Amino acid sequence: VNFGNNPLVNLQRASVTRDLPPATVITAEIDPLRSEGRMYADRLRAGGVPVRYQDYTGVAHEFFGMAAVVDAAKQANQFAAEGLRTAFGR
């Protein structure tokens, strides 16, 4: 199976319209997917979608789940929660 062409897996192939809900995109400095995350946030913005983007320096891909021991993860979790509250109008 070639997932590289699937827009559900490869966000660079996903269609972007202003009908999409607001998005929160979080990337880590040490992450092979960092540039893809940034490009996706840029594509969403260019398509008229409200985007909150934050890159966290000094952390690796898996940092988000390490809030108990990594301050940047706590901040990223808060950033994500704020994005969800905003998206759901709360």
PDB file of all heavy atoms in Angstrom, residues 11 16 18 24 26 29 35-37 49 56-57 66 72 74-76 78 86:
ATOM      1  N   LEU A  11      -0.480  15.115   4.402  1.00  0.00           N
ATOM      2  CA  LEU A  11      -1.233  16.370   4.468  1.00  0.00           C
ATOM      3  C   LEU A  11      -0.859  17.343   3.358  1.00  0.00           C
ATOM      4  O   LEU A  11      -1.616  18.269   3.073  1.00  0.00           O
ATOM      5  CB  LEU A  11      -1.043  17.019   5.831  1.00  0.00           C
ATOM      6  CG  LEU A  11      -1.574  16.197   7.000  1.00  0.00           C
ATOM      7  CD1 LEU A  11      -1.303  16.908   8.315  1.00  0.00           C
ATOM      8  CD2 LEU A  11      -3.059  15.926   6.836  1.00  0.00           C
ATOM      9  N   VAL A  16      -7.323  21.931   0.661  1.00  0.00           N
ATOM     10  CA  VAL A  16      -7.476  22.981   1.660  1.00  0.00           C
ATOM     11  C   VAL A  16      -8.508  23.984   1.153  1.00  0.00           C
ATOM     12  O   VAL A  16      -8.363  24.528   0.066  1.00  0.00           O
ATOM     13  CB  VAL A  16      -6.134  23.702   1.923  1.00  0.00           C
ATOM     14  CG1 VAL A  16      -6.335  24.902   2.830  1.00  0.00           C
ATOM     15  CG2 VAL A  16      -5.124  22.741   2.522  1.00  0.00           C
ATOM     16  N   ARG A  18     -11.385  27.160   2.697  1.00  0.00           N
ATOM     17  CA  ARG A  18     -11.703  27.986   3.865  1.00  0.00           C
ATOM     18  C   ARG A  18     -12.854  27.405   4.670  1.00  0.00           C
ATOM     19  O   ARG A  18     -13.181  27.914   5.726  1.00  0.00           O
ATOM     20  CB  ARG A  18     -11.937  29.439   3.484  1.00  0.00           C
ATOM     21  CG  ARG A  18     -13.046  29.719   2.545  1.00  0.00           C
ATOM     22  CD  ARG A  18     -13.158  31.209   2.200  1.00  0.00           C
ATOM     23  NE  ARG A  18     -12.182  31.619   1.198  1.00  0.00           N
ATOM     24  CZ  ARG A  18     -11.135  32.413   1.430  1.00  0.00           C
ATOM     25  NH1 ARG A  18     -10.929  32.906   2.603  1.00  0.00           N
ATOM     26  NH2 ARG A  18     -10.296  32.731   0.477  1.00  0.00           N
ATOM     27  N   THR A  24      -4.836  23.976  14.918  1.00  0.00           N
ATOM     28  CA  THR A  24      -3.678  24.185  15.773  1.00  0.00           C
ATOM     29  C   THR A  24      -2.617  23.206  15.311  1.00  0.00           C
ATOM     30  O   THR A  24      -2.868  22.002  15.247  1.00  0.00           O
ATOM     31  CB  THR A  24      -4.028  23.934  17.254  1.00  0.00           C
ATOM     32  OG1 THR A  24      -5.012  24.888  17.666  1.00  0.00           O
ATOM     33  CG2 THR A  24      -2.809  24.057  18.143  1.00  0.00           C
ATOM     34  N   ILE A  26       1.379  22.019  15.932  1.00  0.00           N
ATOM     35  CA  ILE A  26       2.512  22.058  16.851  1.00  0.00           C
ATOM     36  C   ILE A  26       3.643  21.238  16.253  1.00  0.00           C
ATOM     37  O   ILE A  26       3.431  20.112  15.802  1.00  0.00           O
ATOM     38  CB  ILE A  26       2.107  21.474  18.225  1.00  0.00           C
ATOM     39  CG1 ILE A  26       1.038  22.353  18.870  1.00  0.00           C
ATOM     40  CG2 ILE A  26       3.321  21.324  19.134  1.00  0.00           C
ATOM     41  CD1 ILE A  26       0.410  21.769  20.110  1.00  0.00           C
ATOM     42  N   GLU A  29      11.465  21.105  17.351  1.00  0.00           N
ATOM     43  CA  GLU A  29      12.714  21.435  16.663  1.00  0.00           C
ATOM     44  C   GLU A  29      13.421  20.188  16.128  1.00  0.00           C
ATOM     45  O   GLU A  29      13.942  20.191  15.015  1.00  0.00           O
ATOM     46  CB  GLU A  29      13.638  22.192  17.609  1.00  0.00           C
ATOM     47  CG  GLU A  29      14.970  22.552  16.981  1.00  0.00           C
ATOM     48  CD  GLU A  29      15.905  23.265  17.928  1.00  0.00           C
ATOM     49  OE1 GLU A  29      15.736  23.160  19.162  1.00  0.00           O
ATOM     50  OE2 GLU A  29      16.806  23.936  17.424  1.00  0.00           O
ATOM     51  N   SER A  35       9.302  20.286   9.112  1.00  0.00           N
ATOM     52  CA  SER A  35       9.065  21.117   7.922  1.00  0.00           C
ATOM     53  C   SER A  35       7.691  20.846   7.321  1.00  0.00           C
ATOM     54  O   SER A  35       7.025  21.771   6.848  1.00  0.00           O
ATOM     55  CB  SER A  35      10.166  20.921   6.882  1.00  0.00           C
ATOM     56  OG  SER A  35      10.242  19.573   6.480  1.00  0.00           O
ATOM     57  N   GLU A  36       7.228  19.598   7.369  1.00  0.00           N
ATOM     58  CA  GLU A  36       5.896  19.276   6.857  1.00  0.00           C
ATOM     59  C   GLU A  36       4.803  19.952   7.684  1.00  0.00           C
ATOM     60  O   GLU A  36       3.822  20.440   7.140  1.00  0.00           O
ATOM     61  CB  GLU A  36       5.668  17.763   6.826  1.00  0.00           C
ATOM     62  CG  GLU A  36       6.388  17.039   5.711  1.00  0.00           C
ATOM     63  CD  GLU A  36       7.818  16.652   6.076  1.00  0.00           C
ATOM     64  OE1 GLU A  36       8.359  17.154   7.104  1.00  0.00           O
ATOM     65  OE2 GLU A  36       8.404  15.863   5.332  1.00  0.00           O
ATOM     66  N   GLY A  37       4.985  19.993   9.003  1.00  0.00           N
ATOM     67  CA  GLY A  37       4.020  20.666   9.867  1.00  0.00           C
ATOM     68  C   GLY A  37       3.938  22.145   9.561  1.00  0.00           C
ATOM     69  O   GLY A  37       2.851  22.721   9.461  1.00  0.00           O
ATOM     70  N   VAL A  49      -7.828  29.388   6.144  1.00  0.00           N
ATOM     71  CA  VAL A  49      -8.171  28.703   7.392  1.00  0.00           C
ATOM     72  C   VAL A  49      -7.444  29.384   8.556  1.00  0.00           C
ATOM     73  O   VAL A  49      -6.230  29.612   8.468  1.00  0.00           O
ATOM     74  CB  VAL A  49      -7.775  27.212   7.329  1.00  0.00           C
ATOM     75  CG1 VAL A  49      -8.071  26.508   8.638  1.00  0.00           C
ATOM     76  CG2 VAL A  49      -8.470  26.521   6.169  1.00  0.00           C
ATOM     77  N   TYR A  56       8.314  24.303  18.996  1.00  0.00           N
ATOM     78  CA  TYR A  56       8.977  24.245  20.296  1.00  0.00           C
ATOM     79  C   TYR A  56      10.438  23.855  20.101  1.00  0.00           C
ATOM     80  O   TYR A  56      10.740  22.797  19.552  1.00  0.00           O
ATOM     81  CB  TYR A  56       8.250  23.266  21.225  1.00  0.00           C
ATOM     82  CG  TYR A  56       6.912  23.817  21.639  1.00  0.00           C
ATOM     83  CD1 TYR A  56       5.783  23.611  20.866  1.00  0.00           C
ATOM     84  CD2 TYR A  56       6.793  24.611  22.770  1.00  0.00           C
ATOM     85  CE1 TYR A  56       4.557  24.164  21.218  1.00  0.00           C
ATOM     86  CE2 TYR A  56       5.570  25.160  23.141  1.00  0.00           C
ATOM     87  CZ  TYR A  56       4.460  24.929  22.352  1.00  0.00           C
ATOM     88  OH  TYR A  56       3.258  25.483  22.707  1.00  0.00           O
ATOM     89  N   THR A  57      11.330  24.738  20.534  1.00  0.00           N
ATOM     90  CA  THR A  57      12.763  24.506  20.364  1.00  0.00           C
ATOM     91  C   THR A  57      13.303  23.595  21.464  1.00  0.00           C
ATOM     92  O   THR A  57      12.769  23.543  22.570  1.00  0.00           O
ATOM     93  CB  THR A  57      13.543  25.837  20.379  1.00  0.00           C
ATOM     94  OG1 THR A  57      13.281  26.511  21.603  1.00  0.00           O
ATOM     95  CG2 THR A  57      13.142  26.723  19.221  1.00  0.00           C
ATOM     96  N   MET A  66       5.167  14.156  27.176  1.00  0.00           N
ATOM     97  CA  MET A  66       6.078  14.125  28.321  1.00  0.00           C
ATOM     98  C   MET A  66       5.869  15.317  29.253  1.00  0.00           C
ATOM     99  O   MET A  66       6.805  15.801  29.888  1.00  0.00           O
ATOM    100  CB  MET A  66       7.517  14.087  27.812  1.00  0.00           C
ATOM    101  CG  MET A  66       7.794  12.897  26.905  1.00  0.00           C
ATOM    102  SD  MET A  66       9.452  12.922  26.220  1.00  0.00           S
ATOM    103  CE  MET A  66      10.368  12.411  27.656  1.00  0.00           C
ATOM    104  N   ALA A  72       8.374  22.313  28.032  1.00  0.00           N
ATOM    105  CA  ALA A  72       7.843  22.643  26.705  1.00  0.00           C
ATOM    106  C   ALA A  72       6.613  21.799  26.388  1.00  0.00           C
ATOM    107  O   ALA A  72       5.690  22.268  25.710  1.00  0.00           O
ATOM    108  CB  ALA A  72       8.917  22.444  25.634  1.00  0.00           C
ATOM    109  N   LYS A  74       4.409  20.748  28.614  1.00  0.00           N
ATOM    110  CA  LYS A  74       3.304  21.373  29.361  1.00  0.00           C
ATOM    111  C   LYS A  74       2.766  22.561  28.583  1.00  0.00           C
ATOM    112  O   LYS A  74       1.549  22.733  28.447  1.00  0.00           O
ATOM    113  CB  LYS A  74       3.777  21.836  30.740  1.00  0.00           C
ATOM    114  CG  LYS A  74       4.099  20.734  31.698  1.00  0.00           C
ATOM    115  CD  LYS A  74       4.630  21.313  32.997  1.00  0.00           C
ATOM    116  CE  LYS A  74       5.339  20.238  33.791  1.00  0.00           C
ATOM    117  NZ  LYS A  74       6.059  20.774  34.932  1.00  0.00           N
ATOM    118  N   GLN A  75       3.669  23.372  28.062  1.00  0.00           N
ATOM    119  CA  GLN A  75       3.264  24.541  27.284  1.00  0.00           C
ATOM    120  C   GLN A  75       2.527  24.125  26.010  1.00  0.00           C
ATOM    121  O   GLN A  75       1.515  24.725  25.646  1.00  0.00           O
ATOM    122  CB  GLN A  75       4.486  25.385  26.928  1.00  0.00           C
ATOM    123  CG  GLN A  75       5.183  25.985  28.118  1.00  0.00           C
ATOM    124  CD  GLN A  75       6.563  26.513  27.771  1.00  0.00           C
ATOM    125  OE1 GLN A  75       6.953  26.578  26.614  1.00  0.00           O
ATOM    126  NE2 GLN A  75       7.321  26.893  28.798  1.00  0.00           N
ATOM    127  N   ALA A  76       3.020  23.094  25.348  1.00  0.00           N
ATOM    128  CA  ALA A  76       2.385  22.621  24.114  1.00  0.00           C
ATOM    129  C   ALA A  76       0.996  22.051  24.405  1.00  0.00           C
ATOM    130  O   ALA A  76       0.058  22.264  23.625  1.00  0.00           O
ATOM    131  CB  ALA A  76       3.255  21.562  23.438  1.00  0.00           C
ATOM    132  N   GLN A  78      -0.967  23.001  26.813  1.00  0.00           N
ATOM    133  CA  GLN A  78      -1.798  24.173  27.072  1.00  0.00           C
ATOM    134  C   GLN A  78      -2.187  24.862  25.766  1.00  0.00           C
ATOM    135  O   GLN A  78      -3.329  25.261  25.574  1.00  0.00           O
ATOM    136  CB  GLN A  78      -1.037  25.152  27.960  1.00  0.00           C
ATOM    137  CG  GLN A  78      -1.807  25.650  29.114  1.00  0.00           C
ATOM    138  CD  GLN A  78      -0.926  26.487  30.041  1.00  0.00           C
ATOM    139  OE1 GLN A  78       0.258  26.728  29.809  1.00  0.00           O
ATOM    140  NE2 GLN A  78      -1.531  26.919  31.109  1.00  0.00           N
ATOM    141  N   THR A  86     -10.944  27.354  21.642  1.00  0.00           N
ATOM    142  CA  THR A  86     -11.275  28.370  20.645  1.00  0.00           C
ATOM    143  C   THR A  86     -12.092  27.770  19.496  1.00  0.00           C
ATOM    144  O   THR A  86     -13.101  28.322  19.089  1.00  0.00           O
ATOM    145  CB  THR A  86      -9.988  29.028  20.089  1.00  0.00           C
ATOM    146  OG1 THR A  86      -9.298  29.646  21.176  1.00  0.00           O
ATOM    147  CG2 THR A  86     -10.311  30.052  19.030  1.00  0.00           C
TER     148      THR A  86
END
